[in-house]
Amino acid sequence: SKECGRGTFSYFDEKMNAKAAERLILHGGLRQALGRDELSLVYQPQVNLRTGRVFGAEALLRWTPRDGEPVSPSRFIPVAEESGLILPIGEYVIHEAFRQARRWCDAGLPIQVSINVSGIQIYRSDLVATLAAVQRDTGVAPDLIELELTESTLMEDVNAAREVLDALKRAGYGLAIDDFGTGYSSLAYLKRFPLNKLKIDRSFVTDVCSNAEDRAIARAVIQIARSLNHRVIAEGVETVEQAALLRRHGCNEAQGYLFGRPMAADELAGLLDAPATA
Ligand code: C2E
Ligand code: CA
Ligand code: CA
Ligand code: CA
């Protein structure tokens, strides 16, 4: 009925308003977050599935407003991207991740650090120059740094992305495709990017033991990586069974709660003395 239709409309309308209001509030808070020292990085271990050793860590951003609860990056990163705040925030992440790589190196723990890079940083900033300046300041060997980019980011403007990636590759950084399998990348383009690694998205890992389709996708990603001569890492590995299955199918590396949650840098250093599980 008409009334029902109107009701539905205003329901969506209100939901949209609520969403817009939330974004405004997040945006307001996020604008001050850097100056107020509310942002920090945590690190999640990455493990070699053959040796069981931790070789690297993904830097993950955390925001805890001074007078509030922590806000999840899946909520605030999109707001930061829409508003352009991802540029200063992304620079903070790069600085901090390099400084941490340097501290670990100085402590005799050469851990590779993976940094998430947003498309805005690729297309609307001089990422190559930013990294060069931070690299010079910190003296971190570029091969200790890996940059994670999503496939949808790269497909936005294949030619521009390729130019940036070629420069990053020449500078010596590792390049990984994040959340692989969830975007729409064309394999024809993919092979032209100078990549080192594909990262199997958690959505295919969660049920990899019980769901034949997810398993087929995970295996396909591993095959693609192998035929392109890239390494492959699985994210979201939570059980020994998942790790064993992925390893059996040729996956090189894994990351997930099984090996460790995202944690403070000092805590991660403590993990390195003991071999990881699985
Ligand atoms: P992502 O890059 O796919 O990161 C992996 C996410 O999965 C992280 O969520 C991590 O905590 C979570 N995770 C890791 N292992 C497991 C597991 O075994 N089980 C489950 N259920 N979850 C697991 P987080 O930290 O909330 O980050 C969410 C997203 O926010 C990231 O997804 C990334 O897209 C974005 N993000 C985080 N930090 C940054 C950053 O510094 N820059 C940019 N541009 N994006 C970031
Ligand atoms: Ca990532
Ligand atoms: Ca990911
Ligand atoms: Ca993911």
Side-chain angles (χ1 to χ4, degrees):
S1 75
K2 253 184 193 165
E3 219 163 281
C4 180
R6 257 200 314 273
T8 309
F9 178 76
S10 84
Y11 169 72
F12 281 119
D13 218 34
E14 262 167 47
K15 255 179 83 169
M16 265 160 63
N17 283 336
K19 218 171 166 186
E22 195 209 52
R23 289 191 169 222
L24 261 178
I25 291 167
L26 286 180
H27 179 225
L30 209 47
R31 264 171 50 196
Q32 309 188 60
L34 268 174
R36 290 180 165 190
D37 214 14
E38 294 170 348
L39 298 177
S40 61
L41 293 181
V42 287
Y43 297 87
Q44 186 174 36
Q46 298 178 327
V47 168
N48 182 309
L49 280 175
R50 196 169 44 77
T51 63
R53 298 258 162 203
V54 176
F55 67 90
E58 178 176 7
L60 292 159
L61 190 57
R62 294 292 176 262
W63 175 28
T64 309
R66 199 186 279 171
D67 39 18
E69 294 291 301
V71 185
S72 154
S74 50
R75 279 178 67 211
F76 73 77
I77 295 283
V79 176
E81 288 180 331
E82 265 172 42
S83 62
L85 283 172
I86 195 68
L87 291 177
I89 290 174
E91 282 201 19
Y92 160 81
V93 170
I94 290 170
H95 271 108
E96 193 47 43
F98 271 74
R99 275 197 290 264
Q100 187 53 54
R102 176 71 210 212
R103 277 181 222 121
W104 276 328
C105 226
D106 288 345
L109 309 165
I111 302 172
Q112 182 194 275
V113 178
S114 299
I115 303 174
N116 289 287
V117 175
S118 146
I120 318 270
Q121 291 172 277
I122 300 268
Y123 297 115
R124 293 215 268 124
S125 78
D126 198 342
L127 181 65
V128 178
T130 300
L131 286 165
V134 176
Q135 194 278 326
R136 217 166 31 239
D137 284 352
T138 54
V140 171
D143 64 359
L144 276 179
I145 300 290
E146 180 177 78
L147 306 168
E148 294 192 3
L149 310 123
T150 64
E151 37 178 351
S152 31
T153 292
L154 300 185
M155 293 304 134
E156 240 173 77
D157 183 344
V158 175
N159 292 324
R162 196 174 151 202
E163 231 171 84
V164 175
L165 263 60
D166 283 341
L168 296 173
K169 175 76 175 183
R170 276 196 302 276
Y173 297 107
L175 300 173
I177 299 225
D178 204 359
D179 302 340
F180 191 80
T182 61
Y184 299 91
S185 60
S186 146
L187 295 180
Y189 284 125
L190 199 68
K191 74 165 191 197
R192 295 208 251 139
F193 289 114
L195 305 169
N196 303 87
K197 199 179 282 187
L198 302 184
K199 197 164 193 181
I200 307 174
D201 189 63
R202 173 157 64 89
S203 59
F204 307 118
V205 171
T206 304
D207 295 322
V208 75
C209 293
S210 58
N211 183 308
E213 280 153 13
D214 288 345
R215 186 156 60 247
I217 292 172
R219 292 183 66 176
V221 175
I222 293 166
Q223 288 312 315
I224 291 167
R226 294 193 133 193
S227 45
L228 293 174
N229 247 326
H230 304 331
R231 293 184 70 78
V232 57
I233 183 166
E235 71 174 14
V237 175
E238 296 185 355
T239 70
V240 176
E241 290 74 22
Q242 291 166 346
L245 184 147
L246 288 159
R247 182 194 142 135
R248 207 164 55 240
H249 287 303
C251 185
N252 309 111
E253 302 164 0
Q255 177 183 343
Y257 295 167
L258 174 64
F259 308 103
R261 301 209 168 223
M263 60 185 86
D266 293 347
E267 226 179 307
L268 191 130
L271 274 185
L272 294 177
D273 303 329
T277 42

